């Protein structure tokens, strides 16, 4: 596949609001967008760091994926997202090389990106997201 850069790093937090003093107050980053992704049961907050973003993920439902993650593992790094060209082709290639896919075809994520996750069982424990910005 053709990965161009790290699009974002997803970090699970209990509360975006309570996380801001660190990300803004200490690191000096600026939150430029807050968006709710209903089908993922999360609220997201974005910070730009060069061409990479930090995506804070706050659960809106304890039964959602981030709610369950925090209950099991606590706050912390949740996933790494790579920007790729031709996400459909990238998924096909991953599947053909024995990688277990969480999303067999891309779906719409935050910021209108087309995204798909690879299962951490196949990636050395790193929940991996592929994303493609088709608006560019
Ligand atoms: Zn993500």
């Amino acid at each position: 596949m053709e990965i161009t850069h790290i699009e974002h790093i997803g970090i699970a937090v209990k509360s975006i609001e309570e996380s801001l003093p660190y990300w803004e107050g200490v690191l000096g980053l600026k939150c430029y967008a807050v968006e709710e992704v209903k089908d993922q049961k999360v609220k997201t907050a974005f910070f730009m760091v060069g061409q990479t973003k930090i995506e804070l993920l706050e659960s809106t439902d304890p039964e959602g994926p981030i709610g369950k993650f925090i209950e099991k593992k606590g706050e912390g790094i949740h996933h790494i997202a790579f920007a790729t060209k031709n996400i459909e082709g990238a998924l096909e290639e991953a599947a053909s090389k024995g990688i277990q896919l969480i999303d067999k075809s891309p779906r719409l994520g935050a910021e209108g990106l087309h995204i798909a996750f690879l299962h951490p069982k196949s990636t050395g424990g790193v929940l991996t997201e592929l994303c493609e910005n088709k608006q560019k």
Side-chain angles (χ1 to χ4, degrees):
M1 53 184 86
E2 232 185 306
I3 286 173
T4 56
H5 61 282
I6 294 177
E7 214 284 332
H8 63 269
I9 299 172
I11 297 174
V13 298
K14 285 182 184 156
S15 157
I16 287 171
E17 203 190 322
E18 286 171 23
S19 304
L20 288 181
Y22 173 64
W23 294 95
E24 290 194 325
V26 177
L27 296 183
L29 303 174
K30 184 90 198 85
C31 176
Y32 69 89
V34 173
E35 185 183 339
E36 192 170 341
V37 183
K38 288 222 163 94
D39 73 322
Q40 286 299 296
K41 300 184 167 75
V42 289
K43 198 166 97 179
T44 61
F46 287 95
F47 305 81
M48 205 77 214
V49 189
Q51 62 175 347
T52 299
K53 297 157 192 161
I54 298 292
E55 176 186 39
L56 299 185
L57 301 153
E58 174 187 318
S59 182
T60 56
D61 179 340
E63 290 306 308
I66 295 300
K68 285 185 182 158
F69 177 88
I70 286 180
E71 192 186 294
K72 241 165 74 183
K73 300 191 171 170
E75 294 179 299
I77 292 182
H78 179 257
H79 65 275
I80 295 184
F82 294 105
T84 182
K85 296 177 181 170
N86 181 14
I87 188 168
E88 291 83 2
L91 285 175
E92 248 172 62
E93 183 185 342
S96 78
K97 291 178 173 171
I99 301 296
Q100 195 182 324
L101 308 180
I102 293 176
D103 301 295
K104 293 205 167 50
S105 54
R107 55 191 166 79
L108 224 48
E111 300 195 304
L113 294 177
H114 294 250
I115 66 162
F117 282 92
L118 310 181
H119 201 288
K121 272 184 193 157
S122 310
T123 61
V126 180
L127 178 58
T128 301
E129 177 182 352
L130 300 176
C131 41
E132 181 179 12
N133 185 349
K134 293 183 190 273
Q135 297 149 327
K136 266 187 194 157

